[in-house]
Amino acid sequence: MSPEVVTLSDSMLFSALAIALILGCSWLLDSRRGVDRIIFGSILVVMLSNYLYFRLTKTLPDFEWSAYAVWPRIYLSFELVVILYTVLSIVFFFRRTDHHGAADASEALLARLARQPAVDVFICTYNEELSILERTILAAKAIDYSNFTVWVLDDGRRDWLRDYCAEVDVRYLRREDNAGAKGGNINNAIRQTAKETNAPFILILDADFAPQRAILNRTVGQFINTDVGLIQTPQFYYNADPVQHNLLASKAWVDDQRIFFDVMQPSKDGWGAAFCVGTSCVVRRDALAMIGGMPQETVTEDIHLTYRLLQKGLKTRWLNERLSVGLSAESLSGYITQRCRWCLGTIQVALLRDGPFFGKGFSFVQRMHYFHGLLFWFCRPFILLLMAAPLLYYFLGLPAIRMEPEAFFLYALPMVAGMWAFHAWVSGGRSLPLFTEVSQMVSAVPITIALFHALLHPFGRPFKVTAKGEDRGRVEVIYPIAGTFLCVIVLTFVGMLNGPLLGTYNDLDGFSVAWGMVVMVYAFVSLLVCIELPREALDDIEFPLERQGHVASRGKSVPCTFDTISIHKARMTIQDEVAFADMRLGDLLIFTPFADFDVAGQVTAMDRGRSGVSVSIVGIRDRRDAWEIKKTPEEVRQKMVQRIFSEMPEVMPRRAYPLAAGRGLWKRMFARPSVLVGKLEQHTVTARTQQRSRKLYRPPFISRRTPLLQISSRNVAPPLAE
């Protein structure tokens, strides 16, 4: 317990000074400088050490074989796991790499070559719908590189996909079984392509990750460094993950992997321990040959690949640039399935004889980085103990921590405030209290179950593909997890009434009430995440452009702002009031939302209040494609998909906006889901059948009698400045 000489006012003053120091560090230090990260990180390590010493020496009862003595030690054991993970994270943050210069040099080197090195682009697919696959396939075809071949690796053996690949002129591969899951699929492709192209480099893409045009120019030239076996780029998404979406924070908070990709991986790269994440990476074919191909022994072949390469002296380089965009898990069940697979795979790799713990050829730092990644999953049970601790105190009188208010202000509060402030600072504002923790809480129960199953039976489990393209047109409730959080809320409230609020056990009541209230808040927000809001159809997603340009209307060039664009329509704000007044529904407008890409659209709606115009896209001309006009629905759709997804504007936030996130959460708490999302029509994304013909979406306001659009160089709006 706290020393008797320390009063509550003294401890509160000390806590205020410590928090002021933390805020001063956040304000005065620059997270981009290594020295500043060391200074701030060292201060936090001291705070954590001080708290840990207090916990070990002052908060535990004398040991005896009783629940009163054993329970606090169980809780402390898992708390130590979290503290160790945090300390290692802080130390690893001391280093950080930036390979933008190497990427620039790669572009310059490749531009000087008479013939660029050949690249095989592998698109791995199993059961994804064409609405998802076409984005990756068409974007891959648009890569700005002169010597590459696109291969679709179909582990689902679908004839309609084979026909589609022939239609869009990409190569198609299938095999007779699914042995080795994704790793086996890639190994089959390595063998088959070696007979034809045998390209020295391979770009690996998941079915739902569309490469950006520069991905090969920014990476291939970096392999001039012979120590590099693989170059990994981060995953970016064009849709909100379930936590963002269900808390109305898709424009106010980052996806839960952003800190890992933008902060943790550059730091791991600084220590030579960045690892492959399975998609949007370029690997040397000879490096794969050195290790016997893509690993197949685990469900996370990506991280296993990195450690196999490390044994051969080849490292994974992390290029922190946005060179692909993908589809995040659309449902909470898919989100959880994905993370449970990662948890299982991390344990599987750790247990292998050639893995980072038992294998040869790894440095101490490389082993510690893998240990750090393993600790991430072992932190999940601590979340469950955090929720259970107040209940055990209320109903059984078993405190997890014996802490008086004076001790809380002296040791615990400065440490918690320091962790929040440091994570927000070192992540460049990507971390946000409450939202960050909730993203971990919603999956804590299933991951904890998966964790213990993996420890008991780590191998022999099937590879589970994350569901994408699901029907998300209605409100759905994940009842098992939602019920868990509801029980926590009810029991915590009843426990408070039963004990601290209407009775008295001992002096720990005030601390237990505060703990219980925090648990109820987190459980309530997590419960909201489990009530899933509908999503719009994938084809209806509108991407923000916010670009200045011109639109050709009635023979005149009119300045405008391109607000949003989707596969089928665009929205813009006309900046000339006279020209806007002359526009009518049904008018044909010609504009250039992307460089060298002219679009013709028919006006379908007008907003007189803000001079806004909505158009349905009915024709396009890609000046990079021989200036050929595309007017049929199939051609227009394919070109729009290709251009949008190969040059995707950045649609998701790169940092957190606390006020906006708070407003969204407040609205989510007090409004019905149907009110929040409007009346969305239910939609079903269906796979293309074996027939070659395909029914395309045709906006109802475009009549078959509409004359074919004629686009000439005289009436095209000037292209946007890039």
Side-chain angles (χ1 to χ4, degrees):
M1 310 297 282
S2 60
E4 295 182 359
V5 295
V6 178
T7 65
L8 180 59
S9 60
D10 291 337
S11 61
M12 293 177 66
L13 177 61
F14 174 84
S15 182
L17 292 174
I19 294 175
L21 173 64
I22 294 165
L23 295 178
C25 289
S26 301
W27 180 263
L28 298 174
L29 300 180
D30 187 346
S31 63
R32 294 169 296 183
R33 294 199 296 260
V35 173
D36 290 6
R37 293 196 299 273
I38 292 174
I39 293 173
F40 199 171
S42 299
I43 292 173
L44 185 54
V45 169
V46 170
M47 288 183 172
L48 285 166
S49 302
N50 187 44
Y51 171 78
L52 181 59
Y53 175 78
F54 165 73
R55 285 284 284 118
L56 293 172
T57 59
K58 302 294 184 181
T59 64
L60 297 175
D62 295 336
F63 181 77
E64 58 183 24
W65 289 108
S66 66
Y68 186 81
V70 172
W71 159 237
R73 287 171 169 81
I74 294 175
Y75 184 89
L76 177 61
S77 299
F78 283 93
E79 191 176 9
L80 289 173
V81 173
V82 176
I83 292 175
L84 179 58
Y85 174 79
T86 302
V87 171
L88 286 176
S89 298
I90 293 170
V91 173
F92 293 156
F93 286 148
F94 290 171
R95 291 185 181 179
R96 184 182 295 178
T97 57
D98 182 350
H99 294 298
H100 296 322
D104 292 339
S106 170
E107 283 194 299
L109 173 63
L110 294 172
R112 294 194 299 267
L113 298 179
R115 180 174 175 80
Q116 295 175 328
V119 179
D120 281 328
V121 179
F122 288 177
I123 300 174
C124 308
T125 175
Y126 174 62
N127 61 357
E128 294 80 9
E129 310 288 359
L130 182 59
S131 59
I132 295 173
L133 270 168
E134 67 176 345
R135 302 168 186 221
T136 304
I137 294 172
L138 295 175
K141 287 190 62 180
I143 291 175
D144 183 18
Y145 196 80
S146 63
N147 189 12
F148 69 96
T149 306
V150 177
W151 300 83
V152 176
L153 318 183
D154 180 20
D155 243 10
R157 295 174 288 280
R158 293 159 289 181
D159 291 342
W160 62 261
L161 180 55
R162 177 198 59 201
D163 296 341
Y164 177 80
C165 290
E167 180 181 319
V168 298
D169 195 25
V170 298
R171 307 295 296 275
Y172 174 85
L173 288 175
R174 67 166 63 174
R175 54 187 180 140
E176 296 303 320
D177 56 39
N178 302 111
K182 180 180 176 181
N185 193 12
I186 292 175
N187 284 332
N188 176 68
I190 292 172
R191 291 189 294 269
Q192 297 300 320
T193 58
K195 303 173 185 177
E196 299 187 47
T197 55
N198 199 32
F201 302 104
I202 298 171
L203 168 62
I204 299 175
L205 297 168
D206 280 349
D208 56 333
F209 269 85
Q212 302 302 278
R213 283 173 53 82
I215 189 169
L216 294 182
N217 279 322
R218 301 292 289 174
T219 54
V220 172
Q222 296 189 50
F223 286 99
I224 194 171
N225 183 339
T226 57
D227 291 336
V228 176
L230 183 147
I231 296 177
Q232 178 66 64
T233 66
Q235 297 178 10
F236 284 84
Y237 305 102
Y238 58 82
N239 66 320
D241 69 28
V243 178
Q244 291 174 297
H245 180 71
N246 294 330
L247 295 182
L248 304 182
S250 60
K251 303 301 181 185
W253 185 58
V254 301
D255 63 88
D256 80 319
Q257 296 188 75
R258 201 74 273 130
I259 295 176
F260 171 75
F261 289 132
D262 291 349
V263 184
M264 183 59 72
Q265 280 280 50
S267 295
K268 286 184 174 294
D269 189 77
W271 295 89
F275 57 83
C276 174
V277 297
T279 182
S280 312
C281 58
V282 181
V283 61
R284 286 167 37 189
R285 186 183 289 263
D286 64 343
L288 289 173
M290 290 173 62
I291 62 173
M294 182 70 70
Q296 300 180 199
E297 298 89 336
T298 72
V299 297
T300 49
E301 75 294 326
D302 41 19
I303 190 171
H304 193 186
L305 170 62
T306 287
Y307 277 84
R308 282 269 181 89
L309 292 174
L310 285 173
Q311 286 182 307
K312 300 298 183 180
L314 299 174
K315 62 184 179 182
T316 295
R317 171 173 287 184
W318 183 261
L319 177 60
N320 196 31
E321 294 185 358
R322 184 175 169 275
L323 294 173
S324 67
V325 290
L327 183 64
S328 177
E330 298 172 279
S331 66
L332 188 59
S333 58
Y335 177 91
I336 290 172
T337 297
Q338 188 180 60
R339 281 144 183 80
C340 287
R341 184 178 74 244
W342 296 344
C343 173
L344 171 62
T346 304
I347 293 175
Q348 287 179 336
V349 174
L351 296 177
L352 293 174
R353 290 188 176 182
D354 68 342
F357 291 160
F358 305 112
K360 297 180 180 179
F362 301 111
S363 68
F364 174 76
V365 170
Q366 290 165 352
R367 297 180 197 270
M368 285 302 298
H369 273 272
Y370 198 89
F371 177 65
H372 173 257
L374 199 61
L375 286 178
F376 174 80
W377 301 111
F378 279 90
C379 290
R380 291 299 175 277
F382 179 68
I383 295 176
L384 303 185
L385 297 186
L386 274 173
M387 293 189 290
L391 299 178
L392 292 179
Y393 178 74
Y394 298 149
F395 293 103
L396 300 177
L398 300 177
I401 304 175
R402 299 168 62 217
M403 184 180 296
E404 294 177 347
E406 293 85 355
F408 173 76
F409 285 105
L410 277 175
Y411 301 101
L413 184 58
M415 181 268 298
V416 173
M419 289 176 59
W420 280 350
F422 179 80
H423 287 156
W425 175 82
V426 79
S427 67
R430 294 172 178 84
S431 176
L432 185 62
L434 181 62
F435 288 83
T436 300
E437 288 81 14
V438 164
S439 67
Q440 309 300 329
M441 287 186 69
V442 293
S443 58
V445 173
I447 286 180
T448 300
I449 295 173
L451 183 66
F452 285 103
H453 281 178
L455 291 175
L456 295 174
H457 303 287
F459 296 98
R461 297 176 180 273
F463 186 98
K464 293 184 178 181
V465 178
T466 304
K468 300 289 178 68
E470 302 171 283
D471 181 359
R472 305 296 308 148
R474 58 184 177 273
V475 175
E476 294 184 1
V477 181
I478 311 299
Y479 286 103
I481 303 177
T484 300
F485 289 120
L486 181 60
C487 288
V488 168
I489 294 170
V490 172
L491 291 175
T492 302
F493 182 71
V494 171
M496 283 185 183
L497 294 180
N498 180 61
L501 294 183
L502 299 182
T504 300
Y505 286 129
N506 54 44
D507 294 337
L508 299 177
D509 286 347
F511 180 68
S512 71
V513 169
W515 192 334
M517 292 177 66
V518 171
V519 166
M520 286 195 293
V521 169
Y522 278 99
F524 177 70
V525 178
S526 300
L527 175 62
L528 293 178
V529 176
C530 297
I531 304 173
E532 299 201 73
L533 301 178
R535 291 179 184 258
E536 59 189 340
L538 291 177
D539 278 4
D540 294 336
I541 296 178
E542 297 185 25
F543 304 106
L545 283 177
E546 298 179 356
R547 298 176 180 175
Q548 302 297 315
H550 291 78
V551 59
S553 174
R554 298 175 181 261
K556 296 187 297 183
S557 180
V558 180
C560 70
T561 300
F562 300 114
D563 299 321
T564 64
I565 195 166
S566 70
I567 295 172
H568 302 299
K569 63 183 179 181
R571 300 181 191 273
M572 61 191 74
T573 301
I574 306 300
Q575 297 174 359
D576 186 324
E577 295 182 1
V578 175
F580 177 78
D582 290 339
M583 292 182 182
R584 298 292 183 267
L585 293 178
D587 281 358
L588 290 178
L589 307 181
I590 302 174
F591 54 98
T592 308
F594 303 102
D596 299 321
F597 192 77
D598 305 319
V599 176
Q602 188 173 30
V603 177
T604 59
M606 301 181 70
D607 185 342
R608 299 290 178 182
R610 67 172 189 86
S611 299
V613 174
S614 296
V615 301
S616 173
I617 297 171
V618 296
I620 61 95
R621 180 178 65 187
D622 190 346
R623 291 185 231 159
R624 294 173 179 169
D625 188 18
W627 291 65
E628 184 179 356
I629 299 173
K630 307 292 184 181
K631 295 173 288 189
T632 67
E634 178 74 7
E635 291 176 326
V636 170
R637 175 190 170 81
Q638 286 191 3
K639 277 297 181 181
M640 288 301 300
V641 167
Q642 184 177 64
R643 198 55 185 260
I644 290 176
F645 286 90
S646 65
E647 299 180 36
M648 172 71 68
E650 192 159 346
V651 297
M652 303 305 294
R654 292 291 297 269
R655 62 178 299 272
Y657 299 92
L659 293 179
R663 287 193 297 268
L665 177 58
W666 183 264
K667 184 178 180 181
R668 179 69 176 87
M669 290 168 58
F670 296 104
R672 291 182 301 172
S674 59
V675 175
L676 295 174
V677 298
K679 297 180 180 179
L680 292 177
E681 294 182 357
Q682 292 190 11
H683 62 277
T684 303
V685 181
T686 57
R688 184 174 181 171
T689 61
Q690 294 182 358
Q691 289 80 12
R692 289 292 296 271
S693 62
R694 175 184 175 192
K695 292 183 178 180
L696 291 176
Y697 170 79
R698 180 186 294 273
F701 44 80
I702 297 182
S703 168
R704 294 182 181 273
R705 296 189 299 273
T706 302
L708 292 179
L709 181 68
Q710 298 298 320
I711 305 177
S712 68
S713 59
R714 295 189 303 273
N715 58 6
V716 172
L720 288 173
E722 291 194 300

